[in-house]
Amino acid sequence: MSKTILILPGDGIGPEIVNEAMKVLACLRDEFGLDAEFDEALIGGAAYDAAGHPLPEPTMELAREADAVLLGAVGGPKWEPLDISVRPEKGLLGLRAGLGLFANLRPAILYPQLADASTLKADVVSGLDIMIVRELTGGIYFGQPRGVRKLDNGEREGYNTLIYKESEVDRIVRVAMDIAMKRNSRVCSVDKANVLECTELWREVATRVGGDYPDVELSHMYVDNAAMQLVRAPKQFDVMVTTNMFGDILSDCAAMLTGSIGMLPSASLDEQGKGMYEPIHGSAPDISGKGLANPLATILSVAMLLRYSLNEPELAERVEAAVNSVLDSGLRTPDIHSPGMTEVGTEKMGDAVVTALCSS
Ligand code: IPM
Ligand code: MG
């Protein structure tokens, strides 16, 4: 049966990189029998401009009906003056919450060809393969109460709430454990249990869940130390599992270990494995419209989509192999460029992946 993929290009470089990912999807459909149909809808600032809301109901409706969603990026300076309730980022958060996408998988893999592109020494990062499992629909991102209030003395006070139910911790830790079983069987749960009660409970629940996985080695680390260890000796990690906000921060940090945030895909899954796929980078307004953005994180997100939501592991491997061979050939977008390599823009990079794919 044909699968429906909803395409949400979004803002900034979003449309440019999604365009390249679409070429890959079209090639898979035309040459490799991928049975899929594509819908497209508005999200983020583009949706606000057209419909007055960053997540219009028709977009939500299509997202609910689709088998998988591919998203570019949202946000940009143009929409920063807007009230926080209608900023582009709210569209993305609304989609994550509305679809129940609680499990965010952010693999940080160093392609050997890019060892020189990392700001860290090659021997610190070579062979790096970490999976960050970020809780995505709870924590301080969604906790109530939240807001800015006026005190009696007229001063304003901003507040947010870090909150996790045991069941929310339980299910995300299980996702991490299940993934670890297919990797190197090690999970590091990251918290701030020395200060925050909420994450003291997180640690307790993680330990309890760990008891159901005797073959997985579970460790705990405070988030400040985890940030330090990520840049000191990142290869000590296999799977990391953490809260929404800690995961947001640590995954950007892990991204840089791999040379560029422009290389990292992500999957956000619900309880049934339905998912949304997006590069972990943002809309990069500074380079948008210039044809400089690296489309590989979005193309690698297509590979995750094929693997996790469409049950097409062979096609996923083909896409990853095509990316590898393009890197082997020396093509580099500016973010991953190093001496001796050939610098190309967004379209040339996308075309090269399609060419490699078609001849595979
Ligand atoms: C990410 C982004 C988002 C987040 C923003 C755009 C809302 O930084 O996906 O990591 O904070 O989750
Ligand atoms: Mg982020």
Side-chain angles (χ1 to χ4, degrees):
M1 207 179 71
S2 183
K3 298 281 173 69
T4 309
I5 302 172
L6 177 64
I7 310 290
L8 302 174
D11 309 318
I13 59 170
E16 299 167 50
I17 52 179
V18 162
N19 202 30
E20 302 312 309
M22 285 300 294
K23 290 182 192 166
V24 169
L25 280 165
C27 169
L28 291 172
R29 191 188 50 195
D30 300 343
E31 309 285 332
F32 297 100
L34 173 67
D35 192 6
E37 286 164 26
F38 309 110
D39 266 335
E40 195 175 313
L42 293 168
I43 190 160
Y48 178 83
D49 289 348
H53 195 277
L55 181 59
E57 191 42 44
T59 299
M60 195 61 218
E61 195 74 36
L62 286 170
R64 273 193 213 103
E65 284 161 14
D67 295 290
V69 179
L70 180 70
L71 182 133
V74 297
K78 180 180 173 193
W79 301 284
E80 268 161 28
L82 292 177
D83 185 80
I84 198 166
S85 63
V86 288
R87 280 212 207 121
E89 290 77 4
K90 273 284 172 202
L92 179 56
L93 296 175
L95 204 53
R96 289 172 178 171
L99 296 178
L101 307 172
F102 73 97
N104 185 214
L105 316 186
R106 299 191 156 189
I109 295 169
L110 181 84
Y111 284 79
Q113 303 93 324
L114 298 183
D116 289 336
S118 176
T119 46
L120 276 82
K121 293 194 194 91
D123 66 303
V124 174
V125 290
S126 71
L128 184 85
D129 181 352
I130 303 176
M131 175 68 91
I132 296 187
V133 178
R134 168 189 177 192
E135 199 292 324
L136 203 62
T137 50
I140 199 165
Y141 270 53
F142 293 95
Q144 295 286 350
R146 61 192 296 152
V148 178
R149 62 189 160 212
K150 216 176 202 145
L151 301 175
D152 291 344
N153 67 2
E155 189 186 6
R156 286 178 308 154
E157 174 179 74
Y159 56 101
N160 288 90
T161 305
L162 173 62
I163 185 161
Y164 272 113
K165 290 197 202 72
E166 289 182 282
S167 55
E168 290 176 294
V169 182
D170 185 289
R171 67 180 180 175
I172 192 71
V173 173
R174 279 183 202 281
V175 168
M177 292 286 176
D178 289 337
I179 289 173
M181 300 265 283
K182 298 189 193 131
R183 296 173 45 105
N184 293 319
S185 300
R186 286 185 291 115
V187 171
C188 178
S189 170
V190 177
D191 59 44
K192 189 71 185 172
N194 51 343
V195 177
L196 304 172
E197 291 84 348
C198 178
T199 67
E200 199 182 8
L201 179 65
W202 174 288
R203 186 176 285 217
E204 192 188 311
V205 175
T207 304
R208 193 167 71 210
V209 172
D212 292 345
Y213 293 82
D215 295 335
V216 178
E217 183 192 315
L218 173 68
S219 60
H220 305 272
M221 201 178 271
Y222 297 141
V223 64
D224 48 352
N225 186 24
M228 183 175 73
Q229 295 301 331
L230 265 178
V231 288
R232 192 188 74 87
K235 281 184 271 180
Q236 68 185 281
F237 298 112
D238 179 21
V239 177
M240 301 176 91
V241 62
T242 191
T243 65
N244 203 340
M245 188 161 74
F246 293 164
D248 179 45
I249 299 166
L250 293 179
S251 60
D252 267 28
C253 181
M256 268 328 282
L257 305 174
T258 71
S260 169
I261 198 166
M263 292 297 299
L264 292 207
S266 79
S268 306
L269 306 175
D270 73 3
E271 308 244 17
Q272 281 75 44
K274 170 173 171 165
M276 174 161 77
Y277 300 82
E278 54 178 316
I280 83 156
H281 60 70
S283 59
D286 54 323
I287 56 164
S288 115
K290 296 185 180 152
L292 299 174
N294 185 347
L296 294 181
T298 317
I299 290 171
L300 291 167
S301 297
V302 168
M304 290 190 91
L305 184 156
L306 292 163
R307 183 172 286 121
Y308 290 103
S309 285
L310 266 46
N311 197 21
E312 296 277 7
E314 277 162 32
L315 294 185
E317 273 164 36
R318 267 183 200 278
V319 172
E320 286 158 355
V323 168
N324 243 307
S325 85
V326 168
L327 292 175
D328 280 341
S329 75
L331 296 192
R332 302 283 187 271
T333 44
D335 57 308
I336 50 174
H337 187 246
S338 59
M341 300 295 139
T342 312
E343 193 168 313
V344 294
T346 313
E347 272 184 46
K348 277 231 169 82
M349 187 56 112
D351 290 342
V353 174
V354 171
T355 306
L357 189 60
C358 286
S359 61
S360 68

